[in-house]
Amino acid sequence: MDVQMEAGGDTAAPAPGDAEDLEDTRFPSEEAADGGGVHEDPTDFGDRDQEETGSETKDQPPTLLSPLPQSESPSCTCGLWDPASENNPMGDPESGSGVQGGDPSDEDWRSKRKHVFVLSEAGKPIYSRYGSVEALSTTMGVMTALVSFVQSAGDAIRAIYAEDHKLVFLQQGPLLLVAVSRTPQSAAQLRGELLAVHAQIVSTLTRASVARIFARKQNYDLRRLLAGSERTLDRLLDSVERDPGALLLGAVRCVPLARPLREALGALLRRCTAPGLALSVLAVGGQLVTAAQERTVLAECRLDPADLQLLLNWVGAPAFAAGEAWAPVCLPRFNPDGFFYAYVARLDAMPVCLLLLGTDPEAFHDMATCRRLVEDGMHTLGVMRTLGEAASFSNAPSASAPSYSVQAVGAPGLRHFLYKPLDIPDQHRQLPQFTSPELEAPYSSEDERQRLSDLYHRLHARLHSTSRPLRLIYHVAEKETLLAWVTSKFELYTCLSPLVTKAGAILVVTKLLRWVKKEEDRLFIRYPPKYSTPPAPSSASTDQASHNGLFTGP
Amino acid sequence: MAQADGAPQPFKLVLLGSGNVGKSSLALRYVKNDFKSILPTVGCAFFTKVVDLGAASLKLEIWDTAGQEKYHSICHLYFRGANAALLVYDITSKDSFLKAQQWLADLEREFPPGEVVVMLVGNKTDLSEEREVTFEEGEQFAQSHSLLFMETSAMLDHRVTEVFSALARELLQRVERKERQAQRGDARLTLNQGPRGPAKCCAH
């Protein structure tokens, strides 16, 4: 078994003949049209971690490595996830204890492609995507041991590469996040996911209160406070496989809408203000219709797309389906230590959702008044129906997510694409967006979606490799042909029929680009509206965790 | 304060209790006559419903609070001005019953006695074979603290409307009682606004 460790800090020369070198010789050149159909080898884009070789190393001197995962060692940590060791009798000393759903000896649990864990520095389990956290305390103990072992050498563990598994570690304050994956995602992509998971946790608790809790009590059980948020985390992680784009491209998806209509809605949001209102967002099914920001917020600190994406994810939660909701929420990129107060309501019992974000914890009724103004304005504009139709057009099982068919492009052979414009006027850069059509057959099943998502992730990793970035990739896969292209104007991933020729692919892409250009006013928010409100009596202070009442509840 | 002018008088009602006892389900069943397994409430959810009691009607502003610990403070913000509270527990969970008692203590700290109409509600009678809290236990506790008491099933729509109607009737009766007192020249009360900030006058 090939086991590599990647740690931050000083550079050590890679050991000769490590897995990366082996792979380099193995994977075919993907730039060349490889008409024979590249086999679906997980390493065919195989730069497991090359995007990082420029800045860090993944190898520790052998002396440091030796007590760590050696495949022969019976207590091999990687063996926990090694499919090969699944043949071991259940009496394995590692996994034999505590037989219950989700413990590491469970076949079903082990067969998951990707695990994500969150634990405290003291090794206390906080979150696991699969299985019950209780059953995983031993496993998590091993992770803590790994981290502190490397730490004791004055270094930080970043990743372990073990055969087809990647283990990525991310320490954020008192929290440790770990991804254990055999998807083709690169370590950088996995790290991006872990960061998103961390942001989600911070958004409900704030970084300051997480830090304070663990400063007070090292072995605090954070699950008490995260109760109810696990499913938001599950949804976030599932979206990576089911509907790739947002996290991969760091952009939000917009509801396709005629420009005059979108501008009218933007103007409406700008008109309907309330004291302390910082941001208003109209969304349908986790996609953006339009947003309006407080001018001062915009001028001083741009709303990070990751924060906006987090909000869109959050308001898409089924928990917001009924009534008007009022909840504190933290935007980790904007200010990880302070709370905003969010008003969330479905308009007119439609899937259209209004989010009003303010700084005043007592402003519920002001926000509710503001919502009625928006609602009335939308009736006057007569847009409710249009938005409702946009939402119901989709025949995707996920429903209520507005979408369009790839047929609209009129380029036969094109199956799916992700397009992110990069030529947005400078003053609107704060709103990175992307568009993609509905996932239709043959990508309607879960497995096929996952496969397509994997392919996109591989292409993305190659384009953005730090050691050898590429601008254009033409990749003939087993069941489809893909073309990925990044220029100064856009970043594009296309999925084409497997029978397409190279010339045909170029034709399709040209057609697609022409179509996007023609439709760009409808597909994207070209000119995000802004507004200014009277200053709030008290702005979001840097530390309102005491407001959070973390220690006041019974 | 009778509703001669048309608009029903608003009353603020908060639903309190630990997580997963069915607060949102009760609200949803009552307001929309719907039941679905819903995710934990985020923060607070707000509903309104006009209750018609024949002679009078009133508007219930229902604050359905999240049972999760992390949201307690924001919910505290909103139970301040409350006229009524539903303390909900799950009859299959002793722990949730004890939590409801803690919520009562919280309420009593915040309000002078008699200021808020409180009803104890044991939910999930559809799961009676897993029952951990007997009807008598609930009733006894309610009596000893002069609370209204009922057992419900939001899933089966068992006695849900009755809970809210009983509360509404009690609220109206109190208003009438207070009005009579006021006519007798007692200190004036503005009941529908509730005390903002520290509770004052009325009880002391």
Side-chain angles (χ1 to χ4, degrees):
Chain A
M1 180 199 286
D2 275 315
V3 175
Q4 303 178 41
M5 263 177 62
E6 174 196 306
D10 60 304
T11 48
D18 69 15
E20 183 196 321
D21 292 344
L22 290 175
E23 280 160 28
D24 266 343
T25 60
R26 239 189 292 157
F27 75 82
S29 159
E30 55 278 54
E31 277 110 317
D34 204 329
V38 175
H39 48 275
E40 273 296 292
D41 182 323
T43 57
D44 61 1
F45 279 101
D47 64 325
R48 286 195 169 173
D49 57 313
Q50 282 173 8
E51 66 273 28
E52 284 168 20
T53 43
S55 54
E56 55 199 311
T57 56
K58 57 214 151 305
D59 278 280
Q60 289 297 105
T63 49
L64 198 49
L65 236 180
S66 49
L68 284 171
Q70 295 283 318
S71 50
E72 291 77 26
S73 149
S75 62
C76 165
T77 50
C78 299
L80 280 176
W81 300 281
D82 184 359
S85 64
E86 261 166 26
N87 304 328
N88 288 357
M90 284 309 178
D92 186 327
E94 278 281 332
S95 48
S97 56
V99 181
Q100 93 185 69
D103 96 30
S105 64
D106 185 64
E107 194 79 21
D108 192 43
W109 186 88
R110 296 164 71 100
S111 68
K112 302 291 182 200
R113 298 194 331 146
K114 181 162 67 190
H115 285 278
V116 170
F117 308 101
V118 181
L119 48 152
S120 74
E121 234 171 353
K124 206 131 185 154
I126 295 169
Y127 169 79
S128 165
R129 173 64 191 87
Y130 302 105
S132 79
V133 239
E134 284 88 357
L136 296 170
S137 39
T138 331
T139 314
M140 296 208 181
V142 175
M143 294 177 200
T144 331
L146 276 171
V147 169
S148 50
F149 179 80
V150 178
Q151 229 160 32
S152 67
D155 210 336
I157 188 165
R158 293 174 62 94
I160 296 177
Y161 300 83
E163 273 188 2
D164 58 343
H165 279 76
K166 287 188 194 75
L167 285 76
V168 175
F169 297 80
L170 178 72
Q171 174 111 36
Q172 294 283 299
L175 299 184
L176 176 66
L177 296 95
V178 184
V180 178
S181 157
R182 49 190 174 79
T183 66
Q185 285 175 287
S186 69
Q189 288 166 348
L190 289 169
R191 199 164 289 128
E193 260 177 69
L194 293 181
L195 279 169
V197 166
H198 181 253
Q200 196 76 53
I201 293 172
V202 166
S203 80
T204 51
L205 299 175
T206 75
R207 189 183 60 181
S209 65
V210 171
R212 187 173 25 246
I213 287 163
F214 285 109
R216 271 194 216 181
K217 199 166 168 232
Q218 251 218 323
N219 62 350
Y220 184 86
D221 187 356
L222 200 66
R223 281 179 302 159
R224 275 176 63 190
L225 293 177
L226 279 179
S229 301
E230 300 93 342
R231 293 208 224 169
T232 314
L233 295 177
D234 292 352
R235 268 184 334 118
L236 172 78
L237 291 169
D238 288 351
S239 74
V240 177
E241 309 224 318
R242 291 199 188 131
D243 188 17
L247 213 52
L248 187 65
L249 301 175
V252 297
R253 198 197 298 249
C254 299
V255 178
L257 201 64
R259 180 169 163 185
L261 204 53
R262 203 192 302 272
E263 282 181 355
L265 286 170
L268 177 66
L269 287 188
R270 213 158 46 224
R271 257 199 327 273
C272 304
T273 65
L277 183 63
L279 173 74
S280 11
V281 176
L282 267 179
V284 183
Q287 304 185 26
L288 187 64
V289 176
T290 187
Q293 281 174 268
E294 164 74 45
R295 188 168 282 132
T296 54
V297 173
L298 192 68
E300 287 164 20
C301 181
R302 290 169 169 186
L303 181 68
D304 193 280
D307 281 345
L308 185 56
Q309 188 58 46
L310 187 141
L311 286 174
L312 288 172
N313 255 350
W314 188 61
V315 301
F320 286 114
E324 302 160 68
W326 182 244
V329 64
C330 162
L331 299 185
R333 297 289 178 93
F334 181 77
N335 176 1
D337 301 325
F339 272 125
F340 280 103
Y341 293 86
Y343 172 92
V344 183
R346 298 284 156 105
L347 297 182
D348 236 22
M350 299 282 286
V352 182
C353 175
L354 177 68
L355 163 78
L356 299 169
L357 207 62
T359 50
D360 179 0
E362 311 251 10
F364 174 86
H365 290 288
D366 293 334
M367 297 298 184
T369 311
C370 185
R371 183 206 95 227
R372 279 188 288 275
L373 290 175
V374 173
E375 219 164 31
D376 290 349
M378 286 176 72
H379 281 299
T380 315
L381 289 169
V383 292
M384 282 294 193
R385 245 193 39 184
T386 320
L387 282 177
E389 275 162 13
S392 60
F393 167 79
S394 162
N395 48 22
S398 55
S400 78
S403 175
Y404 55 92
S405 166
V406 71
Q407 309 286 338
V409 179
L414 182 64
R415 289 180 171 183
H416 190 259
F417 64 89
L418 305 174
Y419 179 96
K420 177 187 178 184
L422 300 173
D423 60 339
I424 308 169
D426 190 48
Q427 66 269 35
H428 301 302
R429 280 273 166 80
Q430 80 281 2
L431 201 60
Q433 303 159 51
F434 79 100
T435 189
S436 74
E438 202 176 326
L439 279 160
E440 291 168 278
Y443 305 106
S444 6
S445 77
E446 198 95 326
D447 285 357
E448 288 299 290
R449 281 181 185 201
Q450 201 172 64
R451 211 169 51 76
L452 181 63
S453 171
D454 284 354
L455 287 165
Y456 282 151
H457 275 90
R458 282 185 200 164
L459 290 168
H460 177 272
R462 291 304 280 127
L463 285 184
H464 296 276
S465 151
T466 49
S467 56
R468 290 191 314 170
L470 300 171
R471 301 195 70 86
L472 184 65
I473 302 173
Y474 182 72
H475 173 55
V476 180
E478 197 181 355
K479 295 181 180 167
E480 55 272 289
T481 297
L482 296 111
L483 192 148
W485 190 10
V486 61
T487 73
S488 59
K489 295 208 163 95
F490 59 81
E491 181 169 343
L492 173 69
Y493 300 83
T494 53
C495 170
L496 309 154
S497 116
L499 301 175
V500 79
T501 60
K502 207 193 238 177
I506 289 165
L507 207 67
V508 166
V509 169
T510 315
K511 236 179 199 165
L512 171 62
L513 291 174
R514 212 174 289 144
W515 180 81
V516 169
K517 190 80 204 150
K518 188 165 72 76
E519 298 283 322
E520 77 186 346
D521 278 346
R522 206 173 62 82
L523 296 174
F524 304 110
I525 303 178
R526 302 283 291 167
Y527 304 98
K530 302 164 208 172
Y531 63 78
S532 58
T533 54
S538 64
S539 57
S541 71
T542 47
D543 187 346
Q544 293 193 329
S546 55
H547 275 240
N548 198 15
L550 291 174
F551 298 103
T552 61
Chain B
M1 273 195 226
Q3 301 310 285
D5 55 343
Q9 187 182 346
F11 288 92
K12 189 169 191 172
L13 163 66
V14 285
L15 280 107
L16 303 172
S18 50
N20 199 30
V21 295
K23 295 179 295 298
S24 302
S25 296
L26 283 171
L28 209 63
R29 171 62 80 190
Y30 179 60
V31 178
K32 308 213 157 138
N33 193 20
D34 193 4
F35 182 86
K36 45 188 169 197
S37 61
I38 23 187
L39 291 172
T41 308
V42 179
C44 289
F46 180 75
F47 302 89
T48 54
K49 169 116 177 171
V50 175
V51 192
D52 194 357
L53 293 173
S57 63
L58 53 83
K59 183 172 149 194
L60 283 182
E61 294 181 354
I62 303 168
W63 286 95
D64 167 27
T65 67
Q68 273 73 43
E69 210 175 316
K70 64 187 167 221
Y71 290 123
H72 280 182
S73 77
I74 188 154
C75 297
H76 274 256
L77 279 175
Y78 284 91
F79 82 52
R80 251 188 244 151
N83 305 105
L86 281 185
L87 295 180
V88 188
Y89 67 92
D90 171 356
I91 61 157
T92 69
S93 155
K94 191 90 189 169
D95 185 53
S96 74
F97 184 55
L98 297 174
K99 286 267 168 57
Q101 302 178 8
Q102 283 175 22
W103 276 109
L104 182 66
D106 267 29
L107 274 175
E108 283 170 344
R109 248 198 313 276
E110 204 115 349
F111 294 94
E115 177 92 7
V116 189
V117 180
V118 182
M119 181 184 246
L120 186 68
V121 178
N123 190 32
K124 306 196 189 178
T125 54
D126 47 289
L127 299 175
S128 56
E129 65 276 16
E130 296 163 44
R131 188 188 273 276
E132 283 183 12
V133 184
T134 64
F135 183 86
E136 289 72 29
E137 275 176 275
E139 196 177 35
Q140 231 163 47
F141 179 80
Q143 267 171 8
S144 63
H145 291 80
S146 2
L147 315 176
L148 304 170
F149 177 68
M150 256 186 222
E151 281 195 350
T152 59
S153 164
M155 190 175 115
L156 304 176
D157 197 7
H158 175 65
R159 308 205 70 185
V160 176
T161 315
E162 285 87 335
V163 163
F164 290 90
S165 311
L167 258 184
R169 261 194 301 279
E170 179 68 20
L171 279 166
L172 278 183
Q173 276 170 18
R174 291 209 185 182
V175 171
E176 282 162 15
R177 223 176 299 148
K178 290 244 167 79
E179 271 179 349
R180 276 198 297 278
Q181 280 172 10
Q183 278 161 8
R184 270 184 261 124
D186 290 6
R188 242 175 52 96
L189 283 178
T190 47
L191 225 178
N192 58 338
Q193 270 177 333
R196 285 190 75 80
K200 44 192 178 268
C201 67
C202 29
H204 303 287

